[in-house]
């Protein structure tokens, strides 16, 4: 908070003159960024520009008179050819002569523009994975240089106040450096309270695991049905309810992209999508093909949307748009403003159950390699006759933050495509025979893999492509639908107790265009348990735990453990930090008030009609209007593996080591043989906590 009190020159002028000068500069920089990174929203933008953001800005700024101080000052400043020269030039003018002063000053600018800076870093990440080439050599330095240019224009106009700024900056610089020990002490006190809160939760989870016992993992499996769910915390509740409703169903936790990373092209979407964790590059290029009638219908609707959208953006036609087409939307508005059961079922059917097929160019060897990878790390050694691969997705209306409610392992998309694709591979009889012949895995000839989807607003289990399976399986599916429906109802009853606000049923929350809290998503997430399901099977973890099945005794070379700790654990930490930061510092790391959001560039939102791109989650996602719903705890990771195995993985992977040693998360070892749980301290020391 003390760092946020640090002032750049525009902050200083804003304070002295009681004017929103800094906000004006933020608006100017954001204006160019939103045009440059536009993905089709703007009728005229810089999305087709070939140069970096800084170069495009430097060419346009000569003709832009929107910033009030620019007109007379632009001729007095020579605009360098690259952002680093601009930063150096502006640093001299602002009196930033030491490396430390410049470093802190740049950090403060990045704090002012954290949204667009984060967006650029995301693009750089995607470019490193060879997935995105739209960044055009733009870096965070471009934003810093542009921001500093406006400040120097301001400085030039306020010549008489330069001496006052110099005195203030020297005082601020000395204050910031001399008080860092005081800041450290405050941080240590707050950290102690934070750690006490986390220890309380960790002790509760550890006690539940210990009381549940250390029975062996159930091999062979004696179940009629198996269901593979994503490790998402919302799956913990529905898995528990299904197991309680039908003990002959075994549930299993696995990363929700199910080991098949897809680069998918769909006619029903304008852009290709990547259905895998964002830290991975998709391995399989697939095209989802719909029926000819569906594609024609979609193309017609898409053309109409583009036509109406063009009228909205037209200089003249925008004024007559509502009068001409307002009546067309009256039935849609009425439907979305009322409890319309048909609307919900129809929306689910069109979103998740539209018949389609995959077109791909995978060789038999690539298919076999994909199945080998999945079965190796899935850990199921004996399959039941009916196996559901159950992804998850959220159906909501008028929600700019829908991706935050979707599957994190699928890159912010629903998991139905991954489930369908994997089931297609596993149901291939020729591939199955080849895999069985190698005696590494065995899939019975009468086992059917059925794709499904856990719709997280209502907790409904939507069975996909059920019509493809034989009559005997359809009868089984119909019986299971009743069980799933009962489990969903009980899960909803449990979830309704999260907030003290009056409970609104899932149907109303799902179809209402005015609902700001359609579901709580992953709020309250606090731990990741990596262990056989029997370790947590009868425990109520309150929808706060990511559950990843893992049997150390099957993982002789630690390949699966390394994969879990370097991928799913990292992604769950990202999710945990997103909720944590949006709760403890919503002004900087949250997305503000959802009611005031406006979509910008089809890549994010602004709060209101100006300002920086918002990051994190809206306040409504972590707060119910009266109380904070998300309890800000760092992720506690309980792994059933010896400390030697954990340390081997930690020492081998620097990014995992950095997460743990810098205390972004906590690691615990569940020791089945000695029947105790150990907490990892810094530098690889462990202590027994039971």
């Amino acid at each position: 908070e003390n760092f946020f009190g640090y002032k750049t020159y525009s902050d200083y002028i804003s304070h002295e003159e009681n004017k929103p000068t800094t906000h004006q500069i933020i608006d100017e920089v954001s204006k160019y960024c939103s045009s440059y990174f536009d993905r089709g929203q703007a009728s005229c933008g810089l999305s087709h520009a070939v140069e970096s953001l800084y170069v495009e800005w430097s060419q346009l700024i000569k003709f832009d008179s929107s910033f009030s101080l620019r007109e007379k000052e632009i001729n007095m400043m020579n605009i360098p050819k690259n952002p680093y020269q601009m930063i150096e030039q502006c640093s001299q003018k602002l009196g930033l002569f030491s490396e430390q002063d410049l470093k802190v000053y740049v950090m403060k600018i990045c704090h002012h523009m954290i949204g667009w800076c984060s967006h650029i870093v995301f693009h750089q990440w995607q470019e490193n994975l060879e997935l995105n080439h739209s960044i055009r050599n733009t870096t965070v330095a471009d934003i810093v240089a542009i921001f500093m240019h406006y400040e120097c224009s301001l400085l030039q106009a306020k010549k008489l106040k330069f001496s006052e700024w110099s005195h203030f900056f020297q005082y601020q610089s000395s204050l910031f450096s001399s008080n860092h020990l005081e800041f450290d002490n405050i941080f240590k006190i707050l950290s102690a309270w934070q750690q006490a809160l986390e220890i309380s939760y960790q002790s509760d989870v550890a006690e539940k695991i210990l009381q549940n016992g250390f029975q062996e993992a159930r091999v062979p499996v004696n179940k009629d049905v198996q269901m593979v769910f994503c490790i998402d915390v919302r799956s913990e509740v529905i898995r528990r309810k299904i197991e309680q409703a039908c003990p002959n169903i075994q549930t299993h936790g696995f990363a929700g992209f199910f080991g098949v990373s897809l680069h998918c092209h769909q006619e029903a979407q304008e852009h290709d999508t990547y259905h895998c964790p964002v830290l991975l590059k998709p391995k399989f290029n697939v095209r989802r093909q719909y029926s000819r009638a569906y594609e024609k219908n979609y193309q017609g609707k898409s053309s109409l949307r583009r036509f109406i959208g063009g009228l909205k953006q037209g200089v003249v036609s925008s004024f007559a748009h509502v009068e001409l087409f307002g009546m067309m939307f009256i039935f849609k508005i009425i439907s979305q403003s009322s409890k319309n059961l048909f609307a919900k079922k129809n929306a689910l059917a069109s979103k998740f159950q539209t018949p389609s097929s995959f077109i791909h160019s995978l060789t038999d060897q690539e298919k076999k390699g994909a199945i080998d990878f999945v079965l190796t790390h899935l850990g199921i050694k004996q399959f039941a006759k009916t196996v559901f691969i159950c992804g998850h997705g959220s159906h909501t209306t008028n929600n700019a933050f829908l991706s935050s409610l979707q599957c994190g392992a699928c890159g912010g998309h629903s998991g139905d495509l991954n489930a369908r694709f994997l089931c297609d591979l596993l149901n291939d009889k020729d591939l199955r025979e080849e895999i069985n012949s190698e005696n590494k895995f065995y899939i019975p000839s009468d086992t059917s893999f059925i794709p499904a989807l856990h719709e997280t607003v209502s907790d409904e289990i939507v069975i996909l492509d059920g019509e493809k399976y034989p009559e005997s399986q359809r009868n089984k599916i119909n019986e299971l639908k009743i069980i799933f429906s009962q489990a969903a109802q009980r899960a909803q009853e449990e979830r309704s107790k999260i907030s003290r606000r009056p409970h609104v049923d899932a149907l109303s929350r799902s179809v209402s265009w005015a609902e700001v809290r359609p579901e709580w998503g992953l709020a309250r997430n606090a731990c990741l348990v990596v262990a056989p399901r029997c370790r947590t099977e009868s425990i109520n973890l309150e929808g706060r735990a990511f559950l990843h099945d893992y049997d150390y005794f099957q993982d002789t070379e630690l390949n699966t453990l390394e994969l879990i700790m370097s991928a799913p654990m990292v992604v769950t930490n990202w999710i945990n930090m997103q909720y944590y930061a949006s709760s403890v510092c919503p002004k900087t790391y949250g997305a503000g008030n959802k009611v005031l959001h406006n979509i910008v560039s089809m890549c994010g939102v602004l709060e209101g009609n100006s300002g920086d791109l918002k990051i994190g989650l809206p306040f409504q996602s972590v707060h119910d209007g009266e109380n904070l719903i998300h309890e800000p705890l760092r992720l506690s990771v309980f792994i059933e593996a010896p400390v030697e195995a954990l340390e081997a993985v930690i020492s081998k992977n620097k990014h995992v080591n950095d997460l743990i040693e810098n205390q972004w998360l906590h690691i615990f070892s569940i020791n089945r043989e000695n029947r105790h749980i150990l907490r990892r301290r810094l530098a690889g020391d462990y202590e027994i906590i039971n």
Side-chain angles (χ1 to χ4, degrees):
E1 190 65 34
N2 284 281
F3 170 70
F4 296 158
Y6 182 95
K7 290 181 172 59
T8 65
Y9 182 70
S10 58
D11 294 326
Y12 171 73
I13 295 298
S14 297
H15 181 266
E16 290 295 305
E17 299 184 354
N18 196 25
K19 293 180 179 179
T21 308
T22 301
H23 293 291
Q24 290 176 3
I25 295 178
I26 291 172
D27 290 347
E28 285 297 305
V29 180
S30 185
K31 175 181 70 178
Y32 283 96
C33 289
S34 60
S35 179
Y36 187 80
F37 291 109
D38 180 71
R39 298 184 65 195
Q41 183 177 6
S43 56
C44 181
L46 297 175
S47 58
H48 299 294
V50 296
E51 300 290 349
S52 69
L53 171 64
Y54 175 83
V55 173
E56 295 295 335
W57 166 83
S58 66
Q59 294 172 355
L60 291 172
I61 187 64
K62 301 171 185 177
F63 310 100
D64 184 2
S65 59
S66 58
F67 189 59
S68 59
L69 297 171
R70 191 212 57 81
E71 289 184 274
K72 67 177 182 179
E73 302 305 331
I74 190 66
N75 295 324
M76 303 179 66
M77 285 192 62
N78 176 36
I79 298 182
K81 293 183 179 180
N82 69 66
Y84 299 100
Q85 292 175 344
M86 172 66 84
I87 292 172
E88 183 179 358
Q89 176 178 294
C90 291
S91 298
Q92 297 299 315
K93 291 181 177 291
L94 291 166
L96 311 177
F97 300 117
S98 74
E99 182 178 345
Q100 177 64 20
D101 285 342
L102 178 60
K103 179 180 178 180
V104 178
Y105 199 92
V106 168
M107 287 174 62
K108 182 61 178 184
I109 291 175
C110 291
H111 168 252
H112 281 318
M113 302 298 307
I114 191 170
W116 287 114
C117 288
S118 300
H119 191 67
I120 289 174
V121 172
F122 162 74
H123 275 283
Q124 290 176 318
W125 182 291
Q126 293 286 285
E127 191 172 56
N128 290 337
L129 293 176
E130 300 178 352
L131 299 177
N132 193 328
H133 302 285
S134 64
I135 195 168
R136 294 156 282 180
N137 297 318
T138 297
T139 67
V140 172
D142 290 40
I143 287 183
V144 174
I146 296 170
F147 195 99
M148 293 183 77
H149 162 80
Y150 286 120
E151 289 205 315
C152 283
S153 296
L154 185 66
L155 178 68
Q156 192 71 24
K158 307 283 184 181
K159 291 179 182 178
L160 298 178
K161 291 196 174 183
F162 179 74
S163 59
E164 289 92 332
W165 159 250
S166 297
H167 291 304
F168 170 80
F169 183 76
Q170 291 175 10
Y171 167 75
Q172 176 177 254
S173 180
S174 62
L175 181 69
F176 190 82
S177 59
S178 63
N179 281 2
H180 71 277
L181 291 177
E182 180 184 344
F183 297 161
D184 285 346
N185 290 332
I186 294 172
F187 175 76
K188 288 176 181 177
I189 294 171
L190 294 175
S191 295
W193 283 108
Q194 176 72 32
Q195 191 170 5
L197 180 64
E198 290 165 346
I199 289 174
S200 175
Y201 174 76
Q202 293 159 357
S203 300
D204 181 58
V205 173
E207 183 178 355
K208 288 179 178 179
I209 293 175
L210 292 170
Q211 289 179 352
N212 195 45
F214 287 84
Q215 63 268 33
E216 296 290 329
R218 295 178 180 176
V219 179
V221 176
N222 184 22
K223 300 286 184 178
D224 294 333
V225 177
Q226 292 167 320
M227 300 185 73
V228 181
F229 283 88
C230 179
I231 65 175
D232 188 281
V233 297
R234 291 165 290 184
S235 298
E236 188 273 330
V237 180
I238 193 65
R239 287 175 64 182
R240 178 161 36 86
K241 298 303 181 183
I242 289 174
E243 290 167 347
Q244 291 171 355
C246 184
N248 284 328
I249 297 178
Q250 180 195 48
T251 69
H252 197 87
F254 193 62
F257 75 114
F258 304 117
V260 285
S261 51
L262 303 180
H263 175 183
C264 186
H265 172 75
Q266 301 184 70
E267 292 297 329
Q269 294 186 4
E270 296 183 11
H271 303 283
D272 290 0
T273 53
Y274 306 127
H275 294 253
C276 61
V278 295
L279 48 74
L280 300 180
K281 180 180 180 180
K283 287 185 178 180
F284 308 118
N285 293 314
V286 299
R287 180 177 180 270
R288 192 180 184 189
Q289 187 177 45
Y290 300 88
S291 66
R292 188 171 183 82
Y294 178 85
E295 289 191 1
K296 281 187 175 181
N297 182 46
Y298 173 79
Q299 289 171 359
K301 289 181 178 179
S302 181
S303 298
L304 180 61
R305 281 196 299 268
R306 285 196 296 268
F307 172 70
I308 294 177
L311 293 178
K312 286 182 183 179
Q313 295 175 330
V315 176
V316 178
S317 60
S318 61
F319 293 98
H321 173 263
V322 175
E323 286 78 4
L324 290 172
F325 295 98
M327 292 298 292
M328 291 176 58
F329 297 93
I330 188 169
F331 296 109
K332 183 178 180 181
I333 292 172
I334 292 173
S335 173
Q336 292 179 347
S337 301
S338 63
K339 185 174 178 178
N340 190 329
L341 180 61
F342 174 77
K344 172 69 184 295
K345 290 186 175 179
N346 186 55
L348 282 177
S350 62
K351 184 171 184 177
F352 299 122
Q353 294 179 313
T354 304
S356 63
S357 59
F358 289 105
I359 298 176
H360 55 77
S361 58
L362 271 67
T363 64
D364 289 343
Q365 194 62 32
E366 288 174 327
K367 293 178 185 177
K368 181 176 172 296
I371 294 176
D372 280 345
F373 177 84
V374 173
L375 295 183
T376 296
H377 299 295
L378 184 61
I380 297 178
K381 294 302 180 183
Q382 184 175 340
F383 291 97
K385 287 187 177 181
T386 305
V387 182
F388 289 98
I389 306 297
C390 192
H392 68 91
S394 178
H395 174 67
T396 59
T397 303
N398 190 32
N399 187 4
F401 281 78
L402 176 59
S403 62
S404 69
L405 301 178
Q406 303 283 38
C407 180
C410 297
H413 303 95
S414 60
D416 57 316
L417 294 189
N418 300 73
R420 279 179 157 133
F421 185 76
L422 179 58
C423 286
D424 283 352
L425 294 181
L426 292 170
N427 287 326
D428 188 315
K429 293 183 179 179
D430 294 334
L431 277 174
R432 189 181 294 191
E433 289 177 3
E434 185 177 351
I435 287 170
N436 289 345
S437 66
E438 295 180 354
N439 296 321
K440 185 178 179 182
F441 308 104
Y442 177 73
I443 305 175
S445 59
D446 59 350
T447 292
S448 294
F449 292 89
I450 302 174
L453 184 118
H454 171 211
E455 200 279 311
T456 54
V457 176
S458 63
D459 282 306
E460 293 180 39
I461 303 296
V462 183
I463 298 174
L464 309 171
D465 304 334
E467 69 283 350
K468 293 183 179 179
Y469 298 94
E471 194 67 32
S472 59
Q473 287 285 2
R474 290 186 205 175
N475 294 335
K476 183 72 174 177
I477 288 172
N478 290 332
E479 293 174 6
L480 290 170
K481 283 181 178 179
I482 298 174
I483 296 173
F484 295 159
S485 179
Q486 294 171 347
Q489 184 177 354
R490 290 167 185 161
Q492 284 289 294
E493 291 172 358
E494 180 175 325
R495 292 188 195 281
S496 67
K497 300 173 184 177
I498 292 176
S499 171
R500 297 177 185 175
R501 294 175 67 243
H503 178 61
V504 180
D505 65 275
L507 172 60
S508 299
R509 287 184 279 114
S510 180
V511 300
S512 173
W513 60 269
E515 178 58 64
V516 293
R517 297 180 181 90
E519 66 157 298
W520 286 112
L522 294 93
R524 301 170 72 243
N525 75 83
C527 75
L528 164 64
V529 182
V530 182
R533 175 55 174 161
C534 61
R535 202 65 60 241
T536 57
E537 193 168 17
S538 59
I539 298 175
N540 181 357
L541 292 171
E542 303 173 345
R544 305 187 68 182
F546 300 92
L547 298 178
H548 199 305
D549 279 62
Y550 171 70
D551 191 345
Y552 166 75
F553 295 98
Q554 294 183 17
D555 186 25
T556 55
E557 297 182 0
L558 302 183
N559 291 331
T560 300
L561 180 62
E562 182 176 1
L563 181 66
I564 292 171
M565 293 182 69
S566 60
M569 188 180 81
V570 173
V571 174
T572 53
N573 170 256
W574 289 352
I575 294 170
N576 174 264
M577 281 290 107
Q578 182 185 41
Y579 277 87
Y580 181 96
S582 298
S583 300
V584 300
C585 192
K587 184 176 180 181
T588 299
Y589 299 110
N593 188 346
K594 199 174 187 179
V595 178
L596 304 178
H597 284 167
N598 282 301
I599 295 174
V600 59
S601 307
M602 300 303 290
C603 67
V605 298
L606 302 180
E607 188 176 20
N609 63 353
S610 61
D612 186 27
L613 190 73
K614 305 304 291 184
I615 64 172
L617 296 164
F619 197 55
Q620 286 88 346
S621 294
V622 295
H623 198 283
D624 70 355
E626 296 179 359
N627 301 286
L628 189 65
I629 293 300
H630 180 73
E631 187 176 28
L633 304 175
R634 287 172 291 182
L635 190 70
S636 298
V637 185
F638 293 82
I639 304 176
E640 186 164 304
V643 296
E644 296 80 12
L646 298 180
E647 289 305 309
V649 173
I650 293 170
S651 61
K652 185 178 178 181
N653 296 270
K654 184 180 184 302
H655 68 289
V656 175
N657 182 76
D658 289 344
L659 276 179
I660 297 169
E661 288 295 327
N662 290 315
Q663 303 179 60
W664 292 104
L665 51 77
H666 305 282
I667 293 289
F668 296 83
S669 169
I670 303 174
N671 192 306
R672 186 196 303 180
E673 294 180 330
N674 295 328
R675 297 176 178 268
H676 56 227
I677 297 176
L678 301 96
R679 183 201 312 273
R680 187 187 191 277
R681 303 182 68 85
L682 294 180
D685 293 329
Y686 286 79
E687 63 178 4
I688 298 176
I689 64 171
N690 59 295

